[in-house]
Amino acid sequence: RKEVEQDPGPFNVPEGATVAFNCTYSNSASQSFFWYRQDCRKEPKLLMSVYSSGNEDGRFTAQLNRASQYISLLIRDSKLSDSATYLCAAKGTGGFKTIFGAGTRLFVKA
Amino acid sequence: NAGVTQTPKFQVLKTGQSMTLQCAQDMNHNSMYWYRQDPGMGLRLIYYSASEGTTDKGEVPNGYNVSRLNKREFSLRLESAAPSQTSVYFCASSEGELTLNTGELFFGEGSRLTVL
């Protein structure tokens, strides 16, 4: 079982829709959490870090639930340009290893 | 400001051949990483270097060796390539734990390796 798991999708949504991704992690010692975005045949880039209190960046909201060991990403008012693969990641104690989930593919249609 | 630079970008090998993937970062980061990415598997950590002079195994280290040559450079070596090592390899760097930071990873553009 992977240390970080997420639904691979794909999620096919129309423009303007709200879509939510969940991700679970098994290492309870994980301390930092992230969502990365990866476009086709490109490198991953940080979308946002995830804090215990939850955080928002424009149309994107990230939440962390330590008790249930999952993180979520909510995208509101989806744009065509949001089409990509979204990777969740957890960084554990000893702090240096960042482990990724397999990624969730999102297709936003006109 | 180049960020993280990987070479080569593409490589085709025959089974049993060896090769080294090179990675360099110009952001003065302490930590560096090598990941491989396969369809349906996401990014899997091969090896990482928390700081200059140290290296540690990740999730899938078998068949690979690494060298942290200096603070800037972190190379990945395949001693005897196998078809199962056909993948896209990403090098990444981060500031590391020595500073207060989010732990953001900065990735190179990737190296596509095919082993026949």
Side-chain angles (χ1 to χ4, degrees), chain A residues 2-3 32 34 36 38 41-46 49 51 87 91 94-103, chain B residues 31 33 35 37 40-45 48 50 57-59 90 96-97 101-105 107-109 112:
Chain A
K2 273 184 72 72
E3 198 169 311
S32 305
F34 311 90
Y36 283 78
Q38 186 175 25
R41 301 180 74 84
K42 297 288 189 180
E43 73 274 20
K45 293 184 179 178
L46 182 69
S49 301
Y51 303 120
L87 301 159
K91 188 175 177 183
F96 304 105
K97 288 201 304 185
T98 299
I99 303 298
F100 285 82
Chain B
S31 302
Y33 310 79
Y35 289 89
Q37 187 171 36
M41 301 295 292
L43 287 161
R44 291 184 291 170
L45 182 63
Y48 65 103
K57 295 178 180 179
E59 300 171 274
F90 287 100
E97 292 299 302
N101 67 90
T102 65
E104 177 182 1
L105 294 179
F107 287 86
E109 293 182 338
R112 296 182 180 276

Side-chain angles (χ1 to χ4, degrees), chain B:
Chain B
N1 191 353
V4 179
T5 304
Q6 295 179 229
T7 56
K9 289 192 168 36
F10 301 93
Q11 184 72 49
V12 179
L13 292 177
K14 294 181 179 177
T15 297
Q17 287 185 320
S18 62
M19 76 158 298
T20 300
L21 296 174
Q22 306 285 356
C23 176
Q25 51 90 10
D26 62 4
M27 295 174 282
N28 199 35
H29 284 170
N30 292 300
S31 302
M32 297 185 74
Y33 310 79
W34 276 106
Y35 289 89
R36 61 177 288 174
Q37 187 171 36
D38 304 291
M41 301 295 292
L43 287 161
R44 291 184 291 170
L45 182 63
I46 304 171
Y47 271 93
Y48 65 103
S49 171
S51 60
E52 185 179 356
T54 69
T55 60
D56 284 286
K57 295 178 180 179
E59 300 171 274
V60 288
N62 291 344
Y64 304 94
N65 286 302
V66 290
S67 296
R68 183 75 183 266
L69 304 170
N70 47 57
K71 191 172 185 179
R72 289 188 64 248
E73 297 172 289
F74 189 39
S75 63
L76 177 72
R77 182 160 179 84
L78 288 70
E79 290 291 352
S80 179
S84 61
Q85 294 178 304
T86 293
S87 188
V88 180
Y89 291 85
F90 287 100
C91 178
S93 70
S94 71
E95 288 182 1
E97 292 299 302
L98 300 178
T99 59
L100 291 175
N101 67 90
T102 65
E104 177 182 1
L105 294 179
F106 294 83
F107 287 86
E109 293 182 338
S111 299
R112 296 182 180 276
L113 175 66
T114 300
V115 183
L116 302 175

Side-chain angles (χ1 to χ4, degrees), chain A residues 3 14 29 31 38 40 48-49 66 70 75 80 82 84 89 104:
Chain A
E3 198 169 311
Q31 292 190 327
Q38 186 175 25
C40 189
M48 56 199 306
S49 301
R66 285 192 184 274
Y70 79 81
I75 305 175
L80 293 175
D82 293 333
T104 299

